[in-house]
Amino acid sequence: DSGVTQTPKHLITATGQRVTLRCSPRSGDLSVYWYQQSLDQGLQFLIQYYNGEERAKGNILERFSAQQFPDLHSELNLSSLELGDSALYFCASSGPSSGNTIYFGEGSWLTVV
Amino acid sequence: DQQVKQNSPSLSVQEGRISILNCDYTNSMFDYFLWYKKYPAEGPTFLISISSIKDKNEDGRFTVFLNKSAKHLSLHIVPSQPGDSAVYFCAASATGNTPLVFGKGTRLSVIA
């Protein structure tokens, strides 16, 4: 158990809809990262938050947005969903004790039909 | 443009033998490298890391070698066990805790 909690574990939704994925980082971790893993793809970095502020942005679509709340949990909002958005979405966290190492949650499997 | 490349999508090794997983990178600013292991339906778990000031780091059956001039690193697993069967991801970051950049992974199958 990495200590990073993601909900929901599975989600099926229709094209055009909007979903929210939730992540609770490890205790004490200030950084939260979101990654996407599509079929046959590696882990694509989407966005990073540090203590509530956006720190880095990767290949995140404009239809997607994220935020980190004062209690440090994070949400990834995916809107106007398309079939190609079907993927595993991972949240990871890091903190002072982990340095460059990040710890992943078990992922949220999104299927768009 | 893939900055971290794992050119072998899969590898099959007999139990007890050595598994060698390879990774190449293109960004010379990368100075910290990690290997993660992923089982189906689970998140990636951290396995071992190496800083660019070293060329080798060992942890039990796992050793990571770094060749900075070739921009290449490898993970050696000795002896390989059936429980090692998983997808292994190579990752890299640059100074300043930049987000990790991952390769596409190598699926290792250890055959009993």
Side-chain angles (χ1 to χ4, degrees):
Chain A
D1 182 7
S2 68
V4 178
T5 305
Q6 287 188 249
T7 57
K9 288 198 182 336
H10 298 94
L11 191 56
I12 301 174
T13 190
T15 54
Q17 295 298 304
R18 172 190 165 98
V19 298
T20 297
L21 309 180
R22 194 178 191 279
C23 170
S24 293
R26 296 185 322 156
S27 177
D29 283 357
L30 298 178
S31 278
V32 168
Y33 309 79
W34 287 97
Y35 283 82
Q36 178 194 57
Q37 185 183 21
S38 304
L39 199 62
D40 294 332
Q41 294 293 314
L43 292 154
Q44 300 289 321
F45 169 68
L46 296 178
I47 197 164
Q48 176 198 359
Y49 277 82
Y50 177 82
N51 202 20
E53 300 288 327
E54 183 183 304
R55 173 63 67 90
K57 215 166 191 175
N59 300 321
I60 188 166
L61 299 172
E62 285 193 13
R63 299 183 286 109
F64 297 179
S65 64
Q67 52 185 325
Q68 186 180 27
F69 295 87
D71 68 353
L72 301 177
H73 92 270
S74 178
E75 292 181 355
L76 178 67
N77 302 296
L78 315 174
S79 61
S80 303
L81 285 167
E82 302 174 0
L83 295 177
D85 297 327
S86 296
L88 255 175
Y89 292 85
F90 287 105
C91 171
S93 73
S94 69
S97 63
S98 61
N100 288 57
T101 303
I102 66 176
Y103 294 89
F104 284 86
E106 295 199 345
S108 292
W109 185 270
L110 173 66
T111 302
V112 183
V113 297
Chain B
D1 176 31
Q2 259 194 293
Q3 298 186 70
V4 177
K5 298 177 187 179
Q6 294 178 256
N7 292 319
S8 299
S10 63
L11 175 67
S12 192
V13 170
Q14 275 202 309
E15 181 180 6
R17 307 294 291 266
I18 184 171
S19 295
I20 301 176
L21 295 95
N22 294 304
C23 177
D24 297 296
Y25 62 95
T26 57
N27 188 338
S28 57
M29 300 300 291
F30 287 150
D31 59 3
Y32 195 75
F33 305 89
L34 307 89
W35 285 93
Y36 283 80
K37 174 179 177 179
K38 185 182 181 303
Y39 292 119
E42 294 184 13
T45 55
F46 169 70
L47 193 56
I48 192 169
S49 62
I50 188 166
S51 162
S52 61
I53 62 173
K54 292 183 165 185
D55 55 18
K56 177 182 171 181
N57 189 25
E58 195 171 346
D59 183 1
R61 297 186 297 114
F62 302 91
T63 304
V64 56
F65 295 91
L66 175 62
N67 182 333
K68 288 186 290 292
S69 60
K71 293 193 178 68
H72 176 84
L73 63 154
S74 61
L75 174 67
H76 293 211
I77 306 173
V78 182
S80 301
Q81 298 173 354
D84 296 328
S85 297
V87 177
Y88 289 78
F89 289 98
C90 172
S93 72
T95 302
N97 273 20
T98 58
L100 296 182
V101 178
F102 284 82
K104 291 192 176 184
T106 296
R107 182 179 300 277
L108 173 65
S109 299
V110 180
I111 303 161

